[in-house]
Amino acid sequence: MKRGKIHSRHSGITFLFLFCLVASSAMAQNIRMVKAFTVSEGLASNLVYSCMEDDKGFLWVGTDNGVCRFDGKYFKRYALPEGVPDNDVLEVIKENDGTIWINTFKQGPCYYDEAKDRFVDPLANVHMRKDFLKVVLWGKRLDEGGIVFSNAAGEVVFKNKKLVSSAGGVANQFYEGREPYWMYTGKPDKGGVKYYAYLKSRNRTDSLLLFEKETKTPLYEISFFVKNKLYILRGTGKIYIVQKSNNGNPFRVVEKQIDENPVLIRKNGNEVNVSTGKGSIYVFDFLTDTFKVKISGSFFANSSFKDREGNVWVATMDKGLLLFHKSRLNILRPFGDPPTRNNFRSVFVDPGGTLYGGNNYGEVVERTPDNRIRFHRITPKGGGGRVLGMLSSQNKIFVLSESGVLVDFKRLVRLGTSEIIRQLKKGIVYNDSILIASGVDSRGGLYKINTITETATRLKVPWVRITTLASQGRFIYLGTTEGLFRYDYNLSTFSETGVNTPLKGSRIVAAVVSPDSLLWISTINNGLFVLKDNRVMYHVSDPRFLNFSVVKLQHTNRPGFLWATTRRGAAYIHYSINDGKFSYTITNLNHEEGVSNNVISDIFYRNDSIYLAAESGIAIVPANMTVPRFDIRTYLTDIKVNQQRFPVASSYDLSSSERTLTLTFSGVNISGYLDHFIYSLNEDSSSSEIVGNTLNLQLEPGYHVLKVRAVNVNGLVSQHVLTLYFNIRTPFYQSAWFIVIVASLVTGISFLGLNRLKMLRQKRKQAQKARIDEERNRITEDLHDDIGSTLSSLKVYSDVAASLLEKDVSKTKYLMEQISVNSSKILEDIGDIIWSMRADKQNMLSVDSRIKNFVSEVLGSREIDYQIHIAPEINGIVQHITARKNVVLIVKEAVNNIVKYSRAGYVSIDIYRKGDALRIEIVDNGKGFPEDAKPTGNGLRNMKKRTEELGGVFQIASFPQKGTKISAIIPVTNISDKSVF
């Protein structure tokens, strides 16, 4: 028989959207929604189509805004930039080899490349007819390996991530041994009303009439082939399950009827999930075809998936991804609308097992052991009056509220016979007839209530704000905002506890006495304190208590166990004391147990059960409940080197410049037990915490080993270690060969430099010796020229004066005067030579001081007006011995000539620096001389000689009756060298 046309599976999606209604039926009692993941938690969109768990434990979630990978704590989105061809990801499918495929809307399938951390289109470079991809495809994992995507127009088959040729019908094919079979549905006649199932082998085709459709009934039929079964979904709520039979009849048919119209079917392990037009999911056992559970609620479910831990994930139309779990907790939500009425403030169970829960609206629910429910109001109109606690005594129930203390929900407890005690916050049972309660009252807020007479008495304690109560023997412990205090009931005395410990002044939030007579005290920001005999024995400053302070404490009958509620949920503490050493473990109940996301207001223990008053009901927890240890695996999911993404690997060989690393990790546990990561680098035995899931490193050249482990919410470090290796190549300038070459070059250069330095020193010594010799010769020449000639004149004057002493007295007197003048000149010249050679601190006169002193003595004594301007920097410029002497002598010669010959009445002397030259300018207003006259005196000749000796230029300008100007221009470089010896 000719194979009939397979009905388009696109109609399933059509119905899925057409019947977008919110279901109102309740979730089956054996599973419970414990958490919703939406865009607020990092999900890409609240419209989720499907999800799938990969071999590493990641949950892949297909949405209308890309696909997300979820490790239990962090979502990572993949969209167009990461290779996803269309953001509408309808399906996520895992192939037998673990490859993750996604099926997108009208853009075909693609697979995830883990090394590149992106999706790859396997048809990108394939030449084929692709128009049928524009119709929605549906994917199916092939048992023999590979995957097929098909619709009514055709199919594509991939093996090893590559397109393979196909004869068609692979989507409806199955094998028995090596024999292939095909199973499909169809109508023999176009427009016919008979609906058949077909079973085809290599040699024959069998058919089976499933039903005959009424022509006037506008119903639909959708077929899905799953593994080796053909499912036909009808708009009447009927499901046909057709399978090959080996009992003579070719077919085995099972019919199922559900209350809603089925529109889509998916296989999930050993279960088959049938989605309906009302947003519910019916779960059937695949092997036995029996109904298991219905998933529904105030959401529209697109599909569901069960992970390896048994969690059920529901993909919804607009509520995101919902997590359901077969919880060990029972949740009591007895009140109707509004839902906030189930926000319980207190919980209590009497010795008979009757449960009481009080809310914030003055209402108390009572549930008896046989599950009968009664409701009570503690105020006539039900308004106000939060129920803050409940206790039992003398077979009566005492309710503590802001409105007062009620007995059996009827009678108010009074102080004496009149005053009503209000604003009671805490209460404990002291003995079989006395309750102790605390409230807010400036006259004292501690009361004892006689449960027989139903009257209260105010105890004599100072006014303190009491936050918690606990009793041990005759003592009542009061936790306050200012520390811990103890009241002696028998002696009526009041004292502070823990005065010399960190407990002093701490704000107390909870107190309880455990069966081993230990008093446990919880503080707001200073951890837990354990007391015995009124002394602090142990202080628990665990970060898990400091970051999430304990709000309530509750003992149990189990030795070494204590329950606590924190801002983050509930936890139990297992402790032991051996040889005085206190040890403990803390186990938090996370969202899998259904309590971590609730704000828990009260806790109570009775009959091996823990009762939690939470914001969404009363949770009943087995007191011996244990949380399984999850050995969370850590994976490197992203790495950037110098802000450039690298493929994920276990070892990296990097250049010397690739030293800045950004690594992102995932601790895969989709149950949500991951808390944080720790790491160690190289041989460091200590571990550091990673903030978030990203670690930034700056590595030095060399070989590095990074070890990362996950830590769960209970502080247990995973045994699985992620080890990464990094080899940062040494820069060439730090390599051995480069260091040897550089060292050799440095040694050679140093040797040459030292040798050259030695030669330079020798040359400098030779040059210094030459300068000394030159200076010695110059001094000798000066002594010979100036002083020698003058001494010769003295010798002549002395001889002549001696011969004329008795002959010509007047002439002898003249000669003696000349001897005196020449002697003074000799002294002056010798003084100039000595002064020029002593350029140190012992030489008190600087160049400008010596010139000014000389000019003042010579011109001042002759009443010639003068003006001297010597620039301040001249003393620093004129440093050379010869320059110091010559500059001074040039000025002296000029001044002496002015005094002797010019008849001037005014002299101006300027010495300054202009550019790279020292300028000496001496001007007088004397008689001058003609321009063409050439003075031949020794003074002018000496001035010119001294100027040229310093490498300068000497100039003289004069006009009759207009004065004379003498200029000396000397290069600064020739006079600033101070060294001679």
Side-chain angles (χ1 to χ4, degrees):
M1 181 179 292
K2 185 178 179 181
R3 178 179 173 182
K5 184 177 180 181
I6 301 175
H7 277 61
S8 170
R9 299 182 185 182
H10 181 252
S11 58
I13 278 288
T14 303
F15 277 98
L16 187 63
F17 290 108
L18 287 177
F19 293 94
C20 182
L21 301 174
V22 177
S24 60
S25 57
M27 173 67 66
Q29 292 184 354
N30 59 336
I31 61 175
R32 178 179 296 107
M33 190 184 85
V34 295
K35 188 172 178 62
F37 297 93
T38 65
V39 292
S40 299
E41 286 74 34
L43 189 62
S45 170
N46 288 339
L47 170 54
V48 182
Y49 294 114
S50 69
C51 57
M52 174 64 65
E53 185 179 15
D54 66 15
D55 289 344
K56 288 184 175 180
F58 288 102
L59 189 71
W60 292 85
V61 185
T63 76
D64 68 338
N65 191 26
V67 62
C68 291
R69 186 178 66 185
F70 182 53
D71 61 8
K73 190 168 187 176
Y74 301 100
F75 285 95
K76 182 176 181 180
R77 176 175 175 259
Y78 297 82
L80 298 177
E82 290 76 33
V84 178
D86 188 276
N87 280 345
D88 268 312
V89 179
L90 304 179
E91 280 186 300
V92 182
I93 307 169
K94 186 181 74 171
E95 198 180 337
N96 285 343
D97 64 359
T99 302
I100 292 295
W101 291 78
I102 60 173
N103 181 22
T104 63
F105 182 70
K106 295 186 178 182
Q107 295 296 325
C110 57
Y111 66 88
Y112 175 66
D113 187 323
E114 184 176 6
K116 297 179 180 178
D117 193 30
R118 61 181 291 109
F119 282 85
V120 178
D121 183 359
L123 301 176
N125 299 316
V126 177
H127 298 286
M128 59 171 289
R129 182 177 63 87
K130 298 181 181 179
D131 54 340
F132 77 97
L133 299 178
K134 301 302 180 182
V135 180
V136 174
L137 295 167
W138 291 101
K140 176 188 174 184
R141 180 175 65 183
L142 300 177
D143 292 339
E144 65 274 16
I147 193 168
V148 58
F149 293 90
S150 65
N151 58 27
E155 66 182 19
V156 285
V157 181
F158 300 94
K159 292 191 175 181
N160 297 322
K161 305 182 184 68
K162 296 186 181 297
L163 180 69
V164 297
S165 59
S166 168
V170 174
N172 288 70
Q173 185 181 47
F174 68 99
Y175 284 84
E176 285 192 354
R178 296 187 177 181
E179 187 67 23
Y181 292 88
W182 291 264
M183 190 175 289
Y184 51 93
T185 61
K187 301 175 183 177
D189 301 322
K190 185 177 181 180
V193 295
K194 296 181 178 180
Y195 205 87
Y196 285 84
Y198 297 91
L199 176 64
K200 179 181 177 182
S201 65
R202 298 186 188 203
N203 303 319
R204 59 178 289 173
T205 301
D206 294 299
S207 63
L208 173 67
L209 177 63
L210 294 176
F211 53 85
E212 188 168 347
K213 183 177 179 180
E214 298 179 8
T215 56
K216 295 183 180 181
T217 306
L219 299 175
Y220 62 87
E221 294 83 25
I222 310 170
S223 65
F224 296 88
F225 186 73
V226 180
K227 196 172 177 63
N228 61 349
K229 293 184 178 182
L230 183 65
Y231 290 80
I232 299 95
L233 312 180
R234 296 200 69 193
T236 60
K238 179 84 72 173
I239 303 173
Y240 294 87
I241 306 173
V242 182
Q243 188 177 9
K244 179 180 177 296
S245 174
N246 295 319
N247 297 327
N249 190 331
F251 298 95
R252 172 182 174 270
V253 180
V254 176
E255 297 184 19
K256 296 291 180 179
Q257 183 69 46
I258 61 176
D259 298 333
E260 301 173 16
N261 295 334
V263 295
L264 184 65
I265 192 167
R266 296 179 190 269
K267 185 175 183 298
N268 180 14
N270 291 323
E271 295 179 344
V272 171
N273 298 336
V274 179
S275 301
T276 73
K278 291 186 176 181
S280 301
I281 295 178
Y282 288 77
V283 181
F284 292 87
D285 187 282
F286 178 76
L287 298 178
T288 63
D289 299 322
T290 57
F291 172 73
K292 296 181 69 174
V293 67
K294 177 185 177 182
I295 301 175
S296 62
S298 58
F299 53 83
F300 190 102
N302 286 332
S303 64
S304 66
F305 171 77
K306 180 183 286 187
D307 64 28
R308 65 186 67 172
E309 301 296 337
N311 300 310
V312 176
W313 302 83
V314 178
T316 71
M317 185 70 72
D318 59 0
K319 297 292 193 303
L321 185 65
L322 309 181
L323 173 58
F324 289 82
H325 181 67
K326 192 172 182 178
S327 176
R328 288 165 284 181
L329 277 65
N330 291 319
I331 304 294
L332 177 64
R333 298 186 182 94
F335 291 111
D337 290 333
T340 53
R341 294 176 65 197
N342 288 308
N343 186 345
F344 283 92
R345 185 79 181 186
S346 58
V347 63
F348 174 74
V349 180
D350 68 16
T354 299
L355 170 67
Y356 298 89
N359 65 14
N360 289 324
Y361 298 91
E363 297 173 308
V364 177
V365 61
E366 175 186 350
R367 191 188 74 172
T368 63
D370 57 358
N371 290 324
R372 288 184 293 117
I373 300 291
R374 287 193 298 177
F375 297 95
H376 306 277
R377 293 188 184 276
I378 62 173
T379 56
K381 297 182 180 180
R386 293 179 297 172
V387 180
L388 302 175
M390 289 166 286
L391 301 167
S392 67
S393 178
Q394 299 294 320
N395 295 321
K396 304 173 186 177
I397 295 296
F398 290 81
V399 181
L400 281 67
S401 75
E402 295 172 330
S403 302
V405 180
L406 272 79
V407 184
D408 291 335
F409 313 103
K410 301 175 182 177
R411 302 178 298 277
L412 283 169
V413 173
R414 301 176 182 271
L415 278 169
T417 58
S418 58
E419 184 181 352
I420 298 174
I421 51 175
R422 302 181 185 275
Q423 298 294 326
L424 292 182
K425 303 292 185 182
K426 308 292 178 184
I428 57 173
V429 176
Y430 181 72
N431 58 34
D432 60 356
S433 62
I434 297 295
L435 304 180
I436 302 297
S438 66
V440 180
D441 195 312
S442 60
R443 295 170 294 177
L446 189 65
Y447 308 90
K448 70 173 182 179
I449 300 174
N450 188 312
T451 58
I452 299 175
T453 64
E454 300 178 8
T455 59
T457 303
R458 181 178 285 110
L459 299 177
K460 295 180 180 181
V461 298
W463 187 89
V464 287
R465 186 175 293 274
I466 302 172
T467 55
T468 186
L469 295 171
S471 66
Q472 189 175 32
R474 74 175 195 265
F475 298 108
I476 300 168
Y477 287 92
L478 287 69
T480 74
T481 57
E482 301 171 2
L484 180 67
F485 296 86
R486 186 174 70 167
Y487 177 78
D488 189 320
Y489 185 84
N490 294 340
L491 302 178
S492 298
T493 58
F494 184 80
S495 60
E496 186 174 4
T497 295
V499 174
N500 297 318
T501 71
L503 184 61
K504 179 177 175 56
S506 297
R507 181 171 180 175
I508 312 299
V509 292
V512 71
V513 178
S514 55
D516 49 8
S517 299
L518 295 178
L519 174 63
W520 296 75
I521 302 297
S522 169
T523 64
I524 193 69
N525 55 11
N526 207 11
L528 278 174
F529 292 85
V530 183
L531 288 77
K532 189 174 182 63
D533 298 329
N534 205 39
R535 292 187 299 110
V536 175
M537 304 296 293
Y538 311 105
H539 180 202
V540 182
S541 56
D542 195 294
R544 287 167 289 181
F545 287 137
L546 296 178
N547 296 337
F548 304 98
S549 59
V550 173
V551 178
K552 296 279 187 178
L553 290 168
Q554 177 63 54
H555 67 79
T556 70
N557 291 337
R558 294 179 66 192
F561 275 85
L562 193 74
W563 279 77
T565 66
T566 70
R567 298 298 182 188
R568 132 182 225 179
Y572 59 83
I573 305 167
H574 184 202
Y575 67 92
S576 62
I577 302 175
N578 296 315
D579 298 328
K581 184 178 180 180
F582 179 77
S583 60
Y584 65 93
T585 60
I586 305 169
T587 302
N588 293 288
L589 276 66
N590 80 334
H591 64 72
E592 185 163 324
E593 284 73 37
V595 296
S596 70
N597 294 321
N598 293 335
V599 176
I600 300 174
S601 301
D602 199 10
I603 182 172
F604 191 82
Y605 169 79
R606 181 81 76 183
N607 299 331
D608 294 327
S609 293
I610 293 292
Y611 299 83
L612 304 172
E615 65 177 3
S616 59
I618 296 175
I620 305 171
V621 186
N624 60 354
M625 180 178 183
T626 58
V627 175
R629 174 186 177 124
F630 286 94
D631 195 27
I632 302 174
R633 283 185 166 267
T634 301
Y635 295 97
L636 176 67
T637 57
D638 187 72
I639 177 172
K640 292 180 181 178
V641 180
N642 293 351
Q643 298 304 313
Q644 298 296 319
R645 179 171 279 117
F646 274 46
V648 173
S650 60
S651 62
Y652 295 87
D653 185 28
L654 304 173
S655 68
S656 59
S657 61
E658 296 175 325
R659 297 165 54 186
T660 303
L661 279 63
T662 302
L663 304 103
T664 303
F665 303 98
S666 283
V668 183
N669 181 267
I670 56 178
S671 295
Y673 279 91
L674 173 69
D675 189 74
H676 64 275
F677 299 97
I678 58 175
Y679 76 97
S680 62
L681 187 62
N682 300 329
E683 300 301 325
D684 189 359
S685 58
S686 62
S687 296
S688 302
E689 181 176 342
I690 298 175
V691 179
N693 64 339
T694 300
L695 175 63
N696 295 301
L697 292 175
Q698 184 76 25
L699 299 180
E700 295 298 323
Y703 192 73
H704 302 275
V705 180
L706 175 67
K707 296 182 179 180
V708 182
R709 292 194 290 177
V711 181
N712 69 17
V713 293
N714 297 312
L716 298 177
V717 179
S718 173
Q719 298 299 315
H720 177 267
V721 181
L722 172 65
T723 304
L724 302 173
Y725 304 92
F726 301 94
N727 180 35
I728 311 295
R729 293 193 291 273
T730 303
F732 72 92
Y733 53 82
Q734 293 182 0
S735 59
W737 61 267
F738 183 81
I739 293 174
V740 171
I741 292 175
V742 171
S744 300
L745 290 174
V746 170
T747 302
I749 293 172
S750 299
F751 177 77
L752 292 175
L754 290 173
N755 189 49
R756 181 169 178 78
L757 181 60
K758 182 178 179 181
M759 293 177 63
L760 289 174
R761 286 177 177 174
Q762 290 177 350
K763 288 183 178 180
R764 190 177 295 112
K765 287 182 178 180
Q766 292 175 357
Q768 189 175 34
K769 185 176 180 301
R771 286 199 299 272
I772 293 172
D773 291 341
E774 181 183 353
E775 190 66 22
R776 184 180 292 118
N777 293 334
R778 185 189 58 77
I779 294 172
T780 302
E781 183 180 348
D782 286 345
L783 292 172
H784 178 270
D785 292 345
D786 296 336
I787 300 175
S789 61
T790 305
L791 288 173
S792 297
S793 299
L794 288 175
K795 177 70 169 60
V796 172
Y797 289 151
S798 299
D799 291 343
V800 174
S803 62
L804 297 177
L805 181 60
E806 296 179 356
K807 296 178 181 181
D808 191 343
V809 176
S810 60
K811 194 169 185 178
T812 300
K813 183 179 180 181
Y814 169 77
L815 290 175
M816 294 301 292
E817 290 175 355
Q818 291 300 316
I819 290 174
S820 175
V821 169
N822 286 328
S823 297
S824 298
K825 185 176 184 301
I826 289 173
L827 290 174
E828 186 176 343
D829 289 343
I830 292 174
D832 288 338
I833 292 172
I834 294 173
W835 170 83
S836 65
M837 295 180 66
R838 298 183 61 182
D840 53 22
K841 291 183 178 180
Q842 296 178 5
N843 190 356
M844 302 302 294
L845 290 179
S846 58
V847 173
D848 63 339
S849 298
R850 192 160 183 88
I851 292 173
K852 289 178 180 178
N853 288 345
F854 173 77
V855 172
S856 176
E857 291 176 2
V858 175
L859 296 183
S861 63
R862 286 156 175 84
E863 298 184 355
I864 298 175
D865 291 335
Y866 63 91
Q867 183 177 6
I868 302 177
H869 178 265
I870 302 176
E873 67 267 21
I874 295 303
N875 290 324
I877 294 174
V878 184
Q879 292 289 317
H880 195 279
I881 294 174
T882 302
R884 288 162 57 84
K885 179 175 72 69
N886 284 359
V887 168
V888 172
L889 292 179
I890 288 171
V891 176
K892 278 189 172 185
E893 293 283 3
V895 172
N896 285 331
N897 281 351
I898 291 172
V899 172
K900 291 179 181 179
Y901 309 114
S902 70
R903 299 178 186 174
Y906 174 79
V907 178
S908 172
I909 301 173
D910 287 305
I911 304 176
Y912 60 95
R913 177 175 180 171
K914 184 176 182 180
D916 294 331
L918 175 72
R919 291 178 174 268
I920 303 173
E921 296 178 353
I922 303 172
V923 180
D924 67 67
N925 64 350
K927 64 180 182 177
F929 52 85
E931 187 177 358
D932 55 352
K934 293 183 178 180
T936 57
N938 289 333
L940 290 175
R941 185 171 58 250
N942 288 340
M943 284 187 282
K944 182 178 181 184
K945 175 186 174 184
R946 297 184 191 283
T947 301
E948 292 174 350
E949 193 176 280
L950 298 176
V953 178
F954 180 79
Q955 298 174 344
I956 184 170
S958 181
F959 296 96
Q961 306 306 321
K962 291 186 178 180
T964 303
K965 179 179 181 180
I966 296 174
S967 299
I969 303 174
I970 304 169
V972 170
T973 55
N974 293 349
I975 61 176
S976 60
D977 185 8
K978 187 176 181 180
S979 64
V980 174
F981 301 101

